[in-house]
Amino acid sequence: MAIKKQLIQFVVVNSTGCGFDMPLFQQNVYSINATTKYSWDITGEDISCGTGSLVINGVTYNFTYTASSLTSLLDSLNLLGFGFFCSEVIGGNTYIYTTDDTNTYGILTLCGATTTTTTTTTTAAPTTTTTTTSTTTAAPTTTTTTTSTTTAAPTTTTTTTSTTTEAPTTTTTTTTTTTEAPTTTTTTTTTTTEAPTTTTTTTTTTEAPTTTSTTTTTTTLSVSCTEYTVTGTPSISIEWFDCGGAFFTQTVGASPLVICAETGTVNQTGGSGSIVAGGSCP
């Protein structure tokens, strides 16, 4: 008989406002018990461009997502294969966060603008246990015996002789009485019983309070800007980020267009023509 074996695979789809912890297994690391939390405040951030980058372990990882979709942004972060990303709202501010004791996270850049990285580490102090033992040992058993003995005096014998002479008859009567005092023996025994041994053990376990340390790192992105001359033959479509992090798209004809853009962000999306980089610009 043929036996069919099938690999079962499931996909966890993340959504905004994750209200649960999940033992996600990514890069051979479980994160359910992680005590280090990384979070980024994205309140008011522009996510309409659909591109971003995240620094993980000192390496910058670029990613794309559906423009203006926070759910798609979280899915793209999860696809990087490191931590499991969720979003939460605290005090009216929206945060993206992950918990991970293995990887180190840094700057999150969305549409050319950086966010503040907050790292929170929770460390539980070791439990302190105090044991007090009190032992009471009873004194040895004391037994006191008192014996009182009374010995009778020697036997007493009394002889009385009475003689009556009556003429012509003489009568003599002799009476002998022996009295023996009884022997009296009195024994008094006093016994003291040993008290039982008493042992008292008291164990007190005191758990020191959990210590939480929070480190907030704010990094200002240093943007390098370059002047580009764009010419269509007959037309070319381009996209770019300006020095303020704003995203633009435009179709340029045969007349050259000069733009000041963030270095390396000018891309051709259609048509044909030339994009020539010049010197730096403010």
Side-chain angles (χ1 to χ4, degrees):
M1 179 180 67
I3 300 176
K4 180 181 179 181
K5 294 184 179 180
Q6 185 174 4
L7 176 63
I8 299 175
Q9 181 177 356
F10 65 92
V11 177
V12 178
V13 179
N14 186 25
S15 62
T16 59
C18 298
F20 55 88
D21 291 327
M22 177 163 291
L24 194 67
F25 190 68
Q26 293 194 15
Q27 290 206 348
N28 299 324
V29 176
Y30 284 103
S31 61
I32 187 172
N33 294 321
T35 58
T36 302
K37 178 180 180 180
Y38 298 88
S39 60
W40 298 266
D41 187 352
I42 62 169
T43 305
E45 294 292 339
D46 179 17
I47 60 173
S48 62
C49 63
T51 61
S53 64
L54 177 61
V55 176
I56 306 175
N57 301 324
V59 179
T60 300
Y61 293 85
N62 298 313
F63 56 86
T64 59
Y65 56 92
T66 302
S68 302
S69 172
L70 178 57
T71 299
S72 177
L73 170 58
L74 294 173
D75 289 340
S76 296
L77 289 170
N78 286 330
L79 288 174
L80 294 177
F82 291 91
F84 182 66
F85 291 83
C86 285
S87 67
E88 60 185 353
V89 177
I90 302 175
N93 290 351
T94 301
Y95 295 86
I96 292 176
Y97 72 92
T98 186
T99 55
D100 193 336
D101 286 341
T102 303
N103 301 292
T104 302
Y105 299 81
I107 302 170
L108 174 64
T109 303
L110 299 174
C111 297
T114 60
T115 62
T116 298
T117 305
T118 301
T119 304
T120 302
T121 302
T122 301
T123 304
T127 300
T128 301
T129 301
T130 302
T131 302
T132 303
T133 302
S134 175
T135 303
T136 303
T137 305
T141 300
T142 302
T143 302
T144 303
T145 302
T146 303
T147 303
S148 177
T149 303
T150 302
T151 304
T155 300
T156 302
T157 302
T158 304
T159 302
T160 304
T161 303
S162 175
T163 303
T164 303
T165 302
E166 183 181 348
T169 301
T170 300
T171 301
T172 301
T173 302
T174 303
T175 302
T176 302
T177 303
T178 302
T179 303
E180 182 177 353
T183 300
T184 302
T185 301
T186 303
T187 302
T188 302
T189 302
T190 302
T191 303
T192 301
T193 304
E194 178 182 4
T197 299
T198 302
T199 301
T200 302
T201 301
T202 302
T203 301
T204 302
T205 300
T206 303
E207 184 171 351
T210 299
T211 302
T212 301
S213 61
T214 301
T215 302
T216 301
T217 303
T218 303
T219 304
T220 302
L221 182 64
S222 178
V223 178
S224 172
C225 294
T226 302
E227 184 177 274
Y228 292 88
T229 301
V230 183
T231 306
T233 54
S235 65
I236 182 173
S237 296
I238 61 172
E239 63 179 11
W240 75 94
F241 286 99
D242 70 4
C243 294
F247 181 71
F248 295 91
T249 61
Q250 188 171 339
T251 299
V252 181
S255 298
L257 172 67
V258 178
I259 61 174
C260 184
E262 182 181 345
T263 303
T265 64
V266 180
N267 297 309
Q268 179 179 342
T269 59
S272 60
S274 62
I275 301 173
V276 179
S280 61
C281 58

